[in-house]
Amino acid sequence: MKTLIIVSHPEEDSSMVQQFLKAGADTLKNVDRYHLESTNKPWSVSDEQNKLKEYDRLIFQFPMYWYSAPHTLKKWIDVVFTHSFYKKELSGKELGIVVSMGVSESEFEVGKSESFTLSELFRPFEALANKCHMTFLPIFPISLFVYKTDLEQKRVLVEYQRYLTMPNQSTFQAKEQWFVERLEALEIKGEYGELLMMAIEEIKTNRQHLDDLNLALKEMKSD
Amino acid sequence: MKTLIIVSHPEEDSSMVQQFLKAGADTLKNVDRYHLESTNKPWSVSDEQNKLKEYDRLIFQFPMYWYSAPHTLKKWIDVVFTHSFYKKELSGKELGIVVSMGVSESEFEVGKSESFTLSELFRPFEALANKCHMTFLPIFPISLFVYKTDLEQKRVLVEYQRYLTMPNQSTFQAKEQWFVERLEALEIKGEYGELLMMAIEEIKTNRQHLDDLNLALKEMKSD
């Protein structure tokens, strides 16, 4: 599966969260990244459309400005998603949203300061995905990133990497598998490497126990 | 009450519906109109903000592009609605949306081609109005304008003029009054003028009958 991140941010270089996400995405295979405001000439519609064809998952990544995306992303959508293109070339792909916000996620709720949920506010993107016969992924919100602890930020990074690369609606087993593969790919040597190997073995052994238990449960039910 | 229409349309001159609405707005007192794409230099934030202060009702008028406004309107909002401005200068004003669409209004419904209602799709504008302590007016949709008959188009025009100038949530009586004032302002002479005068008298007489009936009903209830 190939993923393309389409970033819209007027000041990407000075955005701590964007730089952090960039570092996280750069280590991943089959993930490419594209910053809209960095292109200094008008987009070629056919070039943009051809680029999108290569990918299975598209991610719109941006800071929330007035309950939506910055205008540059909207401009890009209006230009690139032509009738003849979206009707046949986007069907079956996935569309995700990574949105950074200066307000806590818990405020997006009736009776709170932002009144509406993110699901409600991003209906236009959901409607776009529907129209293009794309699968709309769960929204990935990152709120108040700069106030998070190191550990919290690292957790965001791992979740973000999963969001970019893992199949949608994965089972617990698939998530486990994803982690084992990621850990093995680290190829850390020495003392930490051995610790890591032990952790991986532990996860695999747990999985065997779980599988055995599930099998036993299944047999009991069929009796 | 003063109204400002903020139009966003990349090709306003060749848009039949925009030209039609323009002609309708031009005849109204206390209604001004401003086309964003016609400004050929960067907006001055303070000039834009000062302009808005003069008006009681702001109308965003645009064709629907991918379930939202064209990017230029979004850009203008992101630039002009600064924190210090919206916090104190917009409170108590009204915000309306006039949106033209190439799809029938009845398609904006669950199970139909567009799946979501206009109320759902325009949540970001409603959230903006809430944040600025503005009253969000009912949405004014104009669908498939070019396919309407002359009479239907004229009806849209009258409804549009009411949308721009009449107090929100008006009673039937206020609507009647609005029509009488508009008809009297036409000052048509000759045969048609006399017919019009008769129509106005008719409306006024009906109103007296209605008032009498209401009074009688009220007395009966209090007995």
PDB file of all heavy atoms in Angstrom, chain B residues 49-80:
ATOM      1  N   GLN B  49     -11.490  45.055   7.750  1.00  0.00           N
ATOM      2  CA  GLN B  49     -12.155  44.996   9.058  1.00  0.00           C
ATOM      3  C   GLN B  49     -13.012  46.239   9.294  1.00  0.00           C
ATOM      4  O   GLN B  49     -14.142  46.135   9.772  1.00  0.00           O
ATOM      5  CB  GLN B  49     -11.107  44.845  10.162  1.00  0.00           C
ATOM      6  CG  GLN B  49     -10.412  43.480  10.124  1.00  0.00           C
ATOM      7  CD  GLN B  49      -9.343  43.322  11.174  1.00  0.00           C
ATOM      8  OE1 GLN B  49      -8.875  44.313  11.743  1.00  0.00           O
ATOM      9  NE2 GLN B  49      -8.943  42.085  11.430  1.00  0.00           N
ATOM     10  N   ASN B  50     -12.473  47.405   8.941  1.00  0.00           N
ATOM     11  CA  ASN B  50     -13.242  48.642   9.131  1.00  0.00           C
ATOM     12  C   ASN B  50     -14.517  48.644   8.297  1.00  0.00           C
ATOM     13  O   ASN B  50     -15.560  49.133   8.730  1.00  0.00           O
ATOM     14  CB  ASN B  50     -12.389  49.863   8.786  1.00  0.00           C
ATOM     15  CG  ASN B  50     -11.381  50.143   9.885  1.00  0.00           C
ATOM     16  OD1 ASN B  50     -11.616  49.830  11.054  1.00  0.00           O
ATOM     17  ND2 ASN B  50     -10.241  50.716   9.513  1.00  0.00           N
ATOM     18  N   LYS B  51     -14.421  48.085   7.090  1.00  0.00           N
ATOM     19  CA  LYS B  51     -15.596  48.012   6.222  1.00  0.00           C
ATOM     20  C   LYS B  51     -16.699  47.197   6.906  1.00  0.00           C
ATOM     21  O   LYS B  51     -17.855  47.607   6.955  1.00  0.00           O
ATOM     22  CB  LYS B  51     -15.190  47.372   4.890  1.00  0.00           C
ATOM     23  CG  LYS B  51     -16.273  47.393   3.857  1.00  0.00           C
ATOM     24  CD  LYS B  51     -15.853  46.962   2.454  1.00  0.00           C
ATOM     25  CE  LYS B  51     -14.445  46.481   2.302  1.00  0.00           C
ATOM     26  NZ  LYS B  51     -14.043  46.276   0.907  1.00  0.00           N
ATOM     27  N   LEU B  52     -16.310  46.039   7.445  1.00  0.00           N
ATOM     28  CA  LEU B  52     -17.311  45.152   8.048  1.00  0.00           C
ATOM     29  C   LEU B  52     -18.032  45.810   9.233  1.00  0.00           C
ATOM     30  O   LEU B  52     -19.207  45.548   9.473  1.00  0.00           O
ATOM     31  CB  LEU B  52     -16.661  43.847   8.527  1.00  0.00           C
ATOM     32  CG  LEU B  52     -16.020  42.965   7.458  1.00  0.00           C
ATOM     33  CD1 LEU B  52     -15.627  41.627   8.051  1.00  0.00           C
ATOM     34  CD2 LEU B  52     -16.961  42.753   6.278  1.00  0.00           C
ATOM     35  N   LYS B  53     -17.312  46.659   9.941  1.00  0.00           N
ATOM     36  CA  LYS B  53     -17.893  47.293  11.137  1.00  0.00           C
ATOM     37  C   LYS B  53     -19.165  48.077  10.816  1.00  0.00           C
ATOM     38  O   LYS B  53     -20.032  48.233  11.661  1.00  0.00           O
ATOM     39  CB  LYS B  53     -16.867  48.242  11.769  1.00  0.00           C
ATOM     40  CG  LYS B  53     -15.733  47.531  12.507  1.00  0.00           C
ATOM     41  CD  LYS B  53     -14.809  48.569  13.144  1.00  0.00           C
ATOM     42  CE  LYS B  53     -13.457  47.944  13.452  1.00  0.00           C
ATOM     43  NZ  LYS B  53     -12.462  48.961  13.870  1.00  0.00           N
ATOM     44  N   GLU B  54     -19.240  48.596   9.578  1.00  0.00           N
ATOM     45  CA  GLU B  54     -20.376  49.458   9.201  1.00  0.00           C
ATOM     46  C   GLU B  54     -21.683  48.694   9.018  1.00  0.00           C
ATOM     47  O   GLU B  54     -22.746  49.299   8.949  1.00  0.00           O
ATOM     48  CB  GLU B  54     -20.094  50.150   7.858  1.00  0.00           C
ATOM     49  CG  GLU B  54     -18.944  51.115   7.868  1.00  0.00           C
ATOM     50  CD  GLU B  54     -18.617  51.529   6.429  1.00  0.00           C
ATOM     51  OE1 GLU B  54     -19.549  51.605   5.603  1.00  0.00           O
ATOM     52  OE2 GLU B  54     -17.418  51.736   6.146  1.00  0.00           O
ATOM     53  N   TYR B  55     -21.595  47.370   8.908  1.00  0.00           N
ATOM     54  CA  TYR B  55     -22.783  46.610   8.512  1.00  0.00           C
ATOM     55  C   TYR B  55     -23.343  45.757   9.650  1.00  0.00           C
ATOM     56  O   TYR B  55     -22.629  45.351  10.546  1.00  0.00           O
ATOM     57  CB  TYR B  55     -22.458  45.721   7.307  1.00  0.00           C
ATOM     58  CG  TYR B  55     -22.098  46.545   6.092  1.00  0.00           C
ATOM     59  CD1 TYR B  55     -20.778  46.916   5.860  1.00  0.00           C
ATOM     60  CD2 TYR B  55     -23.081  46.987   5.210  1.00  0.00           C
ATOM     61  CE1 TYR B  55     -20.438  47.704   4.770  1.00  0.00           C
ATOM     62  CE2 TYR B  55     -22.753  47.766   4.117  1.00  0.00           C
ATOM     63  CZ  TYR B  55     -21.432  48.123   3.898  1.00  0.00           C
ATOM     64  OH  TYR B  55     -21.124  48.910   2.820  1.00  0.00           O
ATOM     65  N   ASP B  56     -24.657  45.517   9.558  1.00  0.00           N
ATOM     66  CA  ASP B  56     -25.335  44.692  10.572  1.00  0.00           C
ATOM     67  C   ASP B  56     -25.463  43.250  10.109  1.00  0.00           C
ATOM     68  O   ASP B  56     -25.557  42.342  10.916  1.00  0.00           O
ATOM     69  CB  ASP B  56     -26.741  45.252  10.825  1.00  0.00           C
ATOM     70  CG  ASP B  56     -26.701  46.740  11.090  1.00  0.00           C
ATOM     71  OD1 ASP B  56     -26.205  47.126  12.154  1.00  0.00           O
ATOM     72  OD2 ASP B  56     -27.119  47.521  10.196  1.00  0.00           O
ATOM     73  N   ARG B  57     -25.538  43.082   8.784  1.00  0.00           N
ATOM     74  CA  ARG B  57     -25.720  41.743   8.219  1.00  0.00           C
ATOM     75  C   ARG B  57     -24.651  41.496   7.157  1.00  0.00           C
ATOM     76  O   ARG B  57     -24.509  42.292   6.233  1.00  0.00           O
ATOM     77  CB  ARG B  57     -27.125  41.636   7.605  1.00  0.00           C
ATOM     78  CG  ARG B  57     -27.421  40.291   6.958  1.00  0.00           C
ATOM     79  CD  ARG B  57     -28.872  40.209   6.501  1.00  0.00           C
ATOM     80  NE  ARG B  57     -29.786  40.162   7.648  1.00  0.00           N
ATOM     81  CZ  ARG B  57     -31.110  40.105   7.551  1.00  0.00           C
ATOM     82  NH1 ARG B  57     -31.682  40.089   6.367  1.00  0.00           N
ATOM     83  NH2 ARG B  57     -31.855  40.068   8.627  1.00  0.00           N
ATOM     84  N   LEU B  58     -23.926  40.401   7.321  1.00  0.00           N
ATOM     85  CA  LEU B  58     -22.933  40.015   6.305  1.00  0.00           C
ATOM     86  C   LEU B  58     -23.453  38.791   5.568  1.00  0.00           C
ATOM     87  O   LEU B  58     -23.977  37.866   6.180  1.00  0.00           O
ATOM     88  CB  LEU B  58     -21.590  39.669   6.957  1.00  0.00           C
ATOM     89  CG  LEU B  58     -20.991  40.701   7.918  1.00  0.00           C
ATOM     90  CD1 LEU B  58     -19.663  40.200   8.476  1.00  0.00           C
ATOM     91  CD2 LEU B  58     -20.793  42.049   7.210  1.00  0.00           C
ATOM     92  N   ILE B  59     -23.315  38.812   4.245  1.00  0.00           N
ATOM     93  CA  ILE B  59     -23.759  37.684   3.419  1.00  0.00           C
ATOM     94  C   ILE B  59     -22.559  37.143   2.649  1.00  0.00           C
ATOM     95  O   ILE B  59     -21.913  37.891   1.904  1.00  0.00           O
ATOM     96  CB  ILE B  59     -24.848  38.129   2.403  1.00  0.00           C
ATOM     97  CG1 ILE B  59     -26.030  38.810   3.110  1.00  0.00           C
ATOM     98  CG2 ILE B  59     -25.298  36.949   1.532  1.00  0.00           C
ATOM     99  CD1 ILE B  59     -26.900  37.901   3.924  1.00  0.00           C
ATOM    100  N   PHE B  60     -22.263  35.872   2.830  1.00  0.00           N
ATOM    101  CA  PHE B  60     -21.269  35.212   1.972  1.00  0.00           C
ATOM    102  C   PHE B  60     -22.023  34.607   0.791  1.00  0.00           C
ATOM    103  O   PHE B  60     -22.915  33.781   0.989  1.00  0.00           O
ATOM    104  CB  PHE B  60     -20.545  34.086   2.723  1.00  0.00           C
ATOM    105  CG  PHE B  60     -19.646  34.558   3.837  1.00  0.00           C
ATOM    106  CD1 PHE B  60     -19.243  33.671   4.834  1.00  0.00           C
ATOM    107  CD2 PHE B  60     -19.176  35.865   3.886  1.00  0.00           C
ATOM    108  CE1 PHE B  60     -18.401  34.089   5.858  1.00  0.00           C
ATOM    109  CE2 PHE B  60     -18.333  36.299   4.919  1.00  0.00           C
ATOM    110  CZ  PHE B  60     -17.952  35.403   5.900  1.00  0.00           C
ATOM    111  N   GLN B  61     -21.686  35.027  -0.406  1.00  0.00           N
ATOM    112  CA  GLN B  61     -22.411  34.579  -1.610  1.00  0.00           C
ATOM    113  C   GLN B  61     -21.432  33.910  -2.566  1.00  0.00           C
ATOM    114  O   GLN B  61     -20.448  34.525  -2.977  1.00  0.00           O
ATOM    115  CB  GLN B  61     -23.086  35.789  -2.251  1.00  0.00           C
ATOM    116  CG  GLN B  61     -23.920  35.471  -3.471  1.00  0.00           C
ATOM    117  CD  GLN B  61     -24.704  36.707  -3.930  1.00  0.00           C
ATOM    118  OE1 GLN B  61     -25.398  37.331  -3.143  1.00  0.00           O
ATOM    119  NE2 GLN B  61     -24.569  37.065  -5.184  1.00  0.00           N
ATOM    120  N   PHE B  62     -21.701  32.661  -2.922  1.00  0.00           N
ATOM    121  CA  PHE B  62     -20.723  31.913  -3.739  1.00  0.00           C
ATOM    122  C   PHE B  62     -21.375  30.695  -4.382  1.00  0.00           C
ATOM    123  O   PHE B  62     -22.417  30.223  -3.926  1.00  0.00           O
ATOM    124  CB  PHE B  62     -19.549  31.479  -2.855  1.00  0.00           C
ATOM    125  CG  PHE B  62     -19.952  30.717  -1.623  1.00  0.00           C
ATOM    126  CD1 PHE B  62     -20.214  29.359  -1.678  1.00  0.00           C
ATOM    127  CD2 PHE B  62     -20.072  31.358  -0.390  1.00  0.00           C
ATOM    128  CE1 PHE B  62     -20.579  28.638  -0.544  1.00  0.00           C
ATOM    129  CE2 PHE B  62     -20.455  30.654   0.754  1.00  0.00           C
ATOM    130  CZ  PHE B  62     -20.702  29.300   0.682  1.00  0.00           C
ATOM    131  N   PRO B  63     -20.737  30.169  -5.435  1.00  0.00           N
ATOM    132  CA  PRO B  63     -21.169  28.878  -5.981  1.00  0.00           C
ATOM    133  C   PRO B  63     -20.556  27.773  -5.117  1.00  0.00           C
ATOM    134  O   PRO B  63     -19.431  27.931  -4.617  1.00  0.00           O
ATOM    135  CB  PRO B  63     -20.541  28.864  -7.376  1.00  0.00           C
ATOM    136  CG  PRO B  63     -19.325  29.723  -7.255  1.00  0.00           C
ATOM    137  CD  PRO B  63     -19.623  30.759  -6.208  1.00  0.00           C
ATOM    138  N   MET B  64     -21.260  26.676  -4.936  1.00  0.00           N
ATOM    139  CA  MET B  64     -20.718  25.585  -4.134  1.00  0.00           C
ATOM    140  C   MET B  64     -19.636  24.849  -4.924  1.00  0.00           C
ATOM    141  O   MET B  64     -19.892  24.355  -6.021  1.00  0.00           O
ATOM    142  CB  MET B  64     -21.825  24.599  -3.747  1.00  0.00           C
ATOM    143  CG  MET B  64     -21.310  23.518  -2.798  1.00  0.00           C
ATOM    144  SD  MET B  64     -22.548  22.227  -2.512  1.00  0.00           S
ATOM    145  CE  MET B  64     -23.437  22.920  -1.140  1.00  0.00           C
ATOM    146  N   TYR B  65     -18.447  24.828  -4.366  1.00  0.00           N
ATOM    147  CA  TYR B  65     -17.333  24.051  -4.937  1.00  0.00           C
ATOM    148  C   TYR B  65     -16.944  23.004  -3.912  1.00  0.00           C
ATOM    149  O   TYR B  65     -16.528  23.352  -2.807  1.00  0.00           O
ATOM    150  CB  TYR B  65     -16.119  24.947  -5.190  1.00  0.00           C
ATOM    151  CG  TYR B  65     -16.205  25.865  -6.391  1.00  0.00           C
ATOM    152  CD1 TYR B  65     -17.342  25.908  -7.196  1.00  0.00           C
ATOM    153  CD2 TYR B  65     -15.149  26.694  -6.719  1.00  0.00           C
ATOM    154  CE1 TYR B  65     -17.401  26.748  -8.288  1.00  0.00           C
ATOM    155  CE2 TYR B  65     -15.206  27.536  -7.815  1.00  0.00           C
ATOM    156  CZ  TYR B  65     -16.337  27.557  -8.595  1.00  0.00           C
ATOM    157  OH  TYR B  65     -16.389  28.410  -9.677  1.00  0.00           O
ATOM    158  N   TRP B  66     -17.062  21.762  -4.254  1.00  0.00           N
ATOM    159  CA  TRP B  66     -16.717  20.672  -3.330  1.00  0.00           C
ATOM    160  C   TRP B  66     -17.272  20.922  -1.929  1.00  0.00           C
ATOM    161  O   TRP B  66     -16.544  20.965  -0.950  1.00  0.00           O
ATOM    162  CB  TRP B  66     -15.196  20.414  -3.312  1.00  0.00           C
ATOM    163  CG  TRP B  66     -14.775  19.640  -4.521  1.00  0.00           C
ATOM    164  CD1 TRP B  66     -13.979  20.053  -5.535  1.00  0.00           C
ATOM    165  CD2 TRP B  66     -15.171  18.289  -4.859  1.00  0.00           C
ATOM    166  NE1 TRP B  66     -13.859  19.061  -6.487  1.00  0.00           N
ATOM    167  CE2 TRP B  66     -14.584  17.969  -6.091  1.00  0.00           C
ATOM    168  CE3 TRP B  66     -15.985  17.330  -4.229  1.00  0.00           C
ATOM    169  CZ2 TRP B  66     -14.765  16.736  -6.730  1.00  0.00           C
ATOM    170  CZ3 TRP B  66     -16.166  16.112  -4.867  1.00  0.00           C
ATOM    171  CH2 TRP B  66     -15.559  15.830  -6.089  1.00  0.00           C
ATOM    172  N   TYR B  67     -18.556  21.125  -1.881  1.00  0.00           N
ATOM    173  CA  TYR B  67     -19.298  21.192  -0.617  1.00  0.00           C
ATOM    174  C   TYR B  67     -18.873  22.341   0.283  1.00  0.00           C
ATOM    175  O   TYR B  67     -19.077  22.289   1.491  1.00  0.00           O
ATOM    176  CB  TYR B  67     -19.216  19.851   0.119  1.00  0.00           C
ATOM    177  CG  TYR B  67     -19.664  18.716  -0.760  1.00  0.00           C
ATOM    178  CD1 TYR B  67     -18.760  17.818  -1.314  1.00  0.00           C
ATOM    179  CD2 TYR B  67     -21.003  18.583  -1.088  1.00  0.00           C
ATOM    180  CE1 TYR B  67     -19.185  16.795  -2.161  1.00  0.00           C
ATOM    181  CE2 TYR B  67     -21.438  17.569  -1.928  1.00  0.00           C
ATOM    182  CZ  TYR B  67     -20.515  16.683  -2.461  1.00  0.00           C
ATOM    183  OH  TYR B  67     -20.950  15.690  -3.290  1.00  0.00           O
ATOM    184  N   SER B  68     -18.276  23.374  -0.318  1.00  0.00           N
ATOM    185  CA  SER B  68     -17.876  24.529   0.477  1.00  0.00           C
ATOM    186  C   SER B  68     -17.749  25.735  -0.451  1.00  0.00           C
ATOM    187  O   SER B  68     -18.240  25.702  -1.575  1.00  0.00           O
ATOM    188  CB  SER B  68     -16.546  24.226   1.172  1.00  0.00           C
ATOM    189  OG  SER B  68     -16.228  25.270   2.056  1.00  0.00           O
ATOM    190  N   ALA B  69     -17.105  26.780   0.030  1.00  0.00           N
ATOM    191  CA  ALA B  69     -16.933  27.997  -0.761  1.00  0.00           C
ATOM    192  C   ALA B  69     -15.674  27.903  -1.618  1.00  0.00           C
ATOM    193  O   ALA B  69     -14.776  27.122  -1.323  1.00  0.00           O
ATOM    194  CB  ALA B  69     -16.830  29.193   0.185  1.00  0.00           C
ATOM    195  N   PRO B  70     -15.569  28.714  -2.670  1.00  0.00           N
ATOM    196  CA  PRO B  70     -14.307  28.801  -3.413  1.00  0.00           C
ATOM    197  C   PRO B  70     -13.184  29.249  -2.463  1.00  0.00           C
ATOM    198  O   PRO B  70     -13.446  29.926  -1.470  1.00  0.00           O
ATOM    199  CB  PRO B  70     -14.586  29.882  -4.460  1.00  0.00           C
ATOM    200  CG  PRO B  70     -16.073  29.940  -4.588  1.00  0.00           C
ATOM    201  CD  PRO B  70     -16.605  29.611  -3.233  1.00  0.00           C
ATOM    202  N   HIS B  71     -11.962  28.893  -2.814  1.00  0.00           N
ATOM    203  CA  HIS B  71     -10.842  29.122  -1.894  1.00  0.00           C
ATOM    204  C   HIS B  71     -10.616  30.588  -1.570  1.00  0.00           C
ATOM    205  O   HIS B  71     -10.120  30.918  -0.490  1.00  0.00           O
ATOM    206  CB  HIS B  71      -9.563  28.500  -2.460  1.00  0.00           C
ATOM    207  CG  HIS B  71      -9.040  29.211  -3.673  1.00  0.00           C
ATOM    208  ND1 HIS B  71      -8.067  30.178  -3.585  1.00  0.00           N
ATOM    209  CD2 HIS B  71      -9.371  29.122  -4.978  1.00  0.00           C
ATOM    210  CE1 HIS B  71      -7.810  30.628  -4.801  1.00  0.00           C
ATOM    211  NE2 HIS B  71      -8.591  30.007  -5.661  1.00  0.00           N
ATOM    212  N   THR B  72     -10.989  31.480  -2.482  1.00  0.00           N
ATOM    213  CA  THR B  72     -10.731  32.910  -2.233  1.00  0.00           C
ATOM    214  C   THR B  72     -11.505  33.408  -1.012  1.00  0.00           C
ATOM    215  O   THR B  72     -10.988  34.211  -0.229  1.00  0.00           O
ATOM    216  CB  THR B  72     -11.086  33.756  -3.477  1.00  0.00           C
ATOM    217  OG1 THR B  72     -10.432  33.185  -4.606  1.00  0.00           O
ATOM    218  CG2 THR B  72     -10.642  35.193  -3.298  1.00  0.00           C
ATOM    219  N   LEU B  73     -12.729  32.938  -0.841  1.00  0.00           N
ATOM    220  CA  LEU B  73     -13.489  33.340   0.349  1.00  0.00           C
ATOM    221  C   LEU B  73     -12.800  32.825   1.613  1.00  0.00           C
ATOM    222  O   LEU B  73     -12.688  33.536   2.612  1.00  0.00           O
ATOM    223  CB  LEU B  73     -14.934  32.828   0.278  1.00  0.00           C
ATOM    224  CG  LEU B  73     -15.792  33.173   1.503  1.00  0.00           C
ATOM    225  CD1 LEU B  73     -15.907  34.688   1.703  1.00  0.00           C
ATOM    226  CD2 LEU B  73     -17.185  32.563   1.402  1.00  0.00           C
ATOM    227  N   LYS B  74     -12.307  31.575   1.549  1.00  0.00           N
ATOM    228  CA  LYS B  74     -11.630  31.016   2.724  1.00  0.00           C
ATOM    229  C   LYS B  74     -10.383  31.837   3.061  1.00  0.00           C
ATOM    230  O   LYS B  74     -10.113  32.127   4.229  1.00  0.00           O
ATOM    231  CB  LYS B  74     -11.270  29.541   2.477  1.00  0.00           C
ATOM    232  CG  LYS B  74     -10.678  28.850   3.687  1.00  0.00           C
ATOM    233  CD  LYS B  74     -11.652  28.886   4.852  1.00  0.00           C
ATOM    234  CE  LYS B  74     -11.274  28.110   6.074  1.00  0.00           C
ATOM    235  NZ  LYS B  74      -9.914  28.047   6.481  1.00  0.00           N
ATOM    236  N   LYS B  75      -9.677  32.228   2.020  1.00  0.00           N
ATOM    237  CA  LYS B  75      -8.466  33.037   2.220  1.00  0.00           C
ATOM    238  C   LYS B  75      -8.817  34.360   2.894  1.00  0.00           C
ATOM    239  O   LYS B  75      -8.179  34.785   3.858  1.00  0.00           O
ATOM    240  CB  LYS B  75      -7.800  33.290   0.857  1.00  0.00           C
ATOM    241  CG  LYS B  75      -6.486  34.025   0.929  1.00  0.00           C
ATOM    242  CD  LYS B  75      -5.882  34.122  -0.459  1.00  0.00           C
ATOM    243  CE  LYS B  75      -4.528  34.808  -0.435  1.00  0.00           C
ATOM    244  NZ  LYS B  75      -3.925  34.850  -1.776  1.00  0.00           N
ATOM    245  N   TRP B  76      -9.867  34.979   2.383  1.00  0.00           N
ATOM    246  CA  TRP B  76     -10.298  36.274   2.922  1.00  0.00           C
ATOM    247  C   TRP B  76     -10.691  36.129   4.399  1.00  0.00           C
ATOM    248  O   TRP B  76     -10.314  36.961   5.241  1.00  0.00           O
ATOM    249  CB  TRP B  76     -11.470  36.796   2.064  1.00  0.00           C
ATOM    250  CG  TRP B  76     -12.016  38.124   2.502  1.00  0.00           C
ATOM    251  CD1 TRP B  76     -11.528  39.364   2.173  1.00  0.00           C
ATOM    252  CD2 TRP B  76     -13.146  38.333   3.343  1.00  0.00           C
ATOM    253  NE1 TRP B  76     -12.301  40.335   2.758  1.00  0.00           N
ATOM    254  CE2 TRP B  76     -13.298  39.733   3.479  1.00  0.00           C
ATOM    255  CE3 TRP B  76     -14.051  37.491   3.989  1.00  0.00           C
ATOM    256  CZ2 TRP B  76     -14.311  40.290   4.246  1.00  0.00           C
ATOM    257  CZ3 TRP B  76     -15.060  38.043   4.754  1.00  0.00           C
ATOM    258  CH2 TRP B  76     -15.188  39.438   4.873  1.00  0.00           C
ATOM    259  N   ILE B  77     -11.422  35.079   4.714  1.00  0.00           N
ATOM    260  CA  ILE B  77     -11.819  34.854   6.114  1.00  0.00           C
ATOM    261  C   ILE B  77     -10.570  34.661   6.990  1.00  0.00           C
ATOM    262  O   ILE B  77     -10.438  35.271   8.052  1.00  0.00           O
ATOM    263  CB  ILE B  77     -12.743  33.614   6.228  1.00  0.00           C
ATOM    264  CG1 ILE B  77     -14.100  33.884   5.574  1.00  0.00           C
ATOM    265  CG2 ILE B  77     -12.938  33.211   7.697  1.00  0.00           C
ATOM    266  CD1 ILE B  77     -14.984  32.641   5.440  1.00  0.00           C
ATOM    267  N   ASP B  78      -9.653  33.802   6.523  1.00  0.00           N
ATOM    268  CA  ASP B  78      -8.449  33.511   7.314  1.00  0.00           C
ATOM    269  C   ASP B  78      -7.631  34.786   7.561  1.00  0.00           C
ATOM    270  O   ASP B  78      -7.005  34.942   8.598  1.00  0.00           O
ATOM    271  CB  ASP B  78      -7.583  32.449   6.617  1.00  0.00           C
ATOM    272  CG  ASP B  78      -8.227  31.059   6.663  1.00  0.00           C
ATOM    273  OD1 ASP B  78      -9.191  30.873   7.428  1.00  0.00           O
ATOM    274  OD2 ASP B  78      -7.760  30.157   5.935  1.00  0.00           O
ATOM    275  N   VAL B  79      -7.639  35.694   6.579  1.00  0.00           N
ATOM    276  CA  VAL B  79      -6.850  36.926   6.695  1.00  0.00           C
ATOM    277  C   VAL B  79      -7.558  37.975   7.558  1.00  0.00           C
ATOM    278  O   VAL B  79      -6.943  38.618   8.410  1.00  0.00           O
ATOM    279  CB  VAL B  79      -6.567  37.501   5.276  1.00  0.00           C
ATOM    280  CG1 VAL B  79      -6.056  38.929   5.357  1.00  0.00           C
ATOM    281  CG2 VAL B  79      -5.577  36.612   4.533  1.00  0.00           C
ATOM    282  N   VAL B  80      -8.866  38.138   7.342  1.00  0.00           N
ATOM    283  CA  VAL B  80      -9.589  39.276   7.929  1.00  0.00           C
ATOM    284  C   VAL B  80     -10.107  38.980   9.346  1.00  0.00           C
ATOM    285  O   VAL B  80     -10.111  39.856  10.213  1.00  0.00           O
ATOM    286  CB  VAL B  80     -10.768  39.691   7.008  1.00  0.00           C
ATOM    287  CG1 VAL B  80     -11.611  40.784   7.648  1.00  0.00           C
ATOM    288  CG2 VAL B  80     -10.235  40.137   5.650  1.00  0.00           C
TER     289      VAL B  80
END
